[in-house]
């Protein structure tokens, strides 16, 4: 069965088994780190269960997540392994390697999309947006990053969260744009020997 799965990876998405398993291990570790770093800010591990006796969930509970650069769906898989009560829309950037068949075969929801264009969804749909390496990728494709951030602001609910992982210069660019949109932004050095940094942002609730 393992050999058949290796063949499937190569046929459906041109994915090497070693790359797939490396990606899987990376996201298992990343999700644990996210929860450790961000639980005081974002996450609740106590989802509301049906029943009038149960307390209402906190205002910042995360349910609908978009992974804007889903690759093989590793973030989605790691969240499920950790038994996190979230639903993930996996988006494969149109100018990246098409691993959408692999994502769909894993039983996940996914689409391809050109992030130089608006995303077809209602405003305020998502509780959290996540992207790994997307800013530096799109900057190299000459996309308008400010327009991307404006679109992210449109589809994110008030008091929703953005987690961006990228190189230091891309994170600094993203931080400046987040400030223009009046998001609260915090840069986190992962201190793991890589050149990857995190930017954690929260969209503010505008009160009339």
């Amino acid at each position: 069965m393992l050999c058949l799965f290796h063949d499937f990876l190569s046929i459906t998405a041109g994915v090497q088994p070693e790359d797939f398993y490396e990606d899987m291990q990376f996201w298992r570790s990343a999700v644990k780190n996210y929860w450790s770093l961000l639980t005081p800010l974002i996450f609740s591990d106590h989802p509301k269960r049906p029943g009038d006796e149960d307390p209402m969930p906190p205002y910042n509970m995360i349910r609908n997540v978009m992974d804007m650069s889903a690759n093989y769906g590793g973030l989605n898989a790691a969240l499920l392994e950790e038994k996190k009560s979230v639903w993930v829309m996996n988006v494969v950037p149109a100018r990246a390697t098409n691993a959408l068949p692999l994502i769909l075969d894993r039983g996940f929801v996914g689409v391809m999309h050109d992030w130089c264009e608006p995303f077809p969804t209602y405003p305020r749909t998502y509780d959290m947006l996540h992207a790994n390496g997307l800013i530096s990728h799109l900057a190299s494709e000459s996309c308008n990053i400010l327009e991307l951030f404006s679109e992210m602001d449109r589809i994110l609910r008030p008091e929703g969260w953005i987690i961006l992982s990228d190189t230091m210069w891309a994170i600094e660019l993203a931080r400046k744009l987040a400030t223009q949109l009046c998001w609260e932004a915090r840069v986190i050095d992962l201190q793991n020997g890589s050149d990857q940094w995190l930017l954690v942002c929260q969209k503010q609730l505008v009160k009339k």
Side-chain angles (χ1 to χ4, degrees), residues 19-148:
D19 295 336
F20 176 81
Y21 292 118
E22 181 179 344
D23 182 79
M24 189 165 59
Q25 294 301 322
F26 170 82
W27 284 113
R28 283 172 175 164
S29 175
V31 163
K32 286 182 171 62
N33 289 337
Y34 284 172
W35 245 256
S36 175
L37 287 168
L38 306 176
T39 291
L41 297 175
I42 303 177
F43 298 106
S44 169
D45 288 331
H46 306 286
K48 183 179 185 296
R49 298 178 302 277
D52 295 337
E53 72 280 7
D54 295 308
M56 292 298 292
Y59 73 93
N60 61 344
M61 185 166 293
I62 302 299
R63 284 292 174 265
N64 296 326
V65 176
M66 176 185 283
D67 190 356
M68 300 173 65
S69 52
N71 201 21
Y72 308 143
L75 175 65
N76 195 159
L79 288 169
L80 290 178
E81 284 187 5
E82 289 294 313
K83 298 184 177 5
K84 304 305 179 184
S85 300
V86 297
W87 176 88
V88 181
M89 169 60 78
N90 297 280
V91 182
V92 177
R95 307 182 189 205
T97 301
N98 180 15
L100 184 58
L102 176 57
I103 290 173
L104 298 178
D105 189 74
R106 298 179 79 177
F108 303 153
V109 177
V111 295
M112 289 195 71
H113 178 67
D114 185 348
W115 280 116
C116 295
E117 303 291 337
F119 188 83
T121 192
Y122 292 107
R124 304 182 175 191
T125 301
Y126 291 93
D127 302 316
M128 187 176 82
L129 306 177
H130 172 271
N132 179 41
L134 183 66
I135 306 303
S136 54
H137 172 71
L138 293 180
S140 69
E141 299 287 342
S142 301
C143 291
N144 188 314
I145 306 301
L146 179 57
E147 289 183 2
L148 170 68

Side-chain angles (χ1 to χ4, degrees), residues 174-183 185:
R175 186 194 63 78
K176 292 178 180 177
L177 296 176
T179 301
Q180 293 182 39
L181 291 169
C182 299
W183 297 346

Side-chain angles (χ1 to χ4, degrees), residues 152-188:
M152 292 166 65
D153 188 76
R154 183 185 73 84
I155 66 178
L156 185 69
R157 69 163 171 84
E159 299 185 328
W161 296 86
I162 304 101
I163 301 178
L164 303 177
S165 174
D166 218 311
T167 58
M168 185 167 59
W169 73 264
I171 290 298
E172 179 57 26
L173 170 62
R175 186 194 63 78
K176 292 178 180 177
L177 296 176
T179 301
Q180 293 182 39
L181 291 169
C182 299
W183 297 346
E184 288 188 359
R186 178 182 302 186
V187 176
I188 299 175

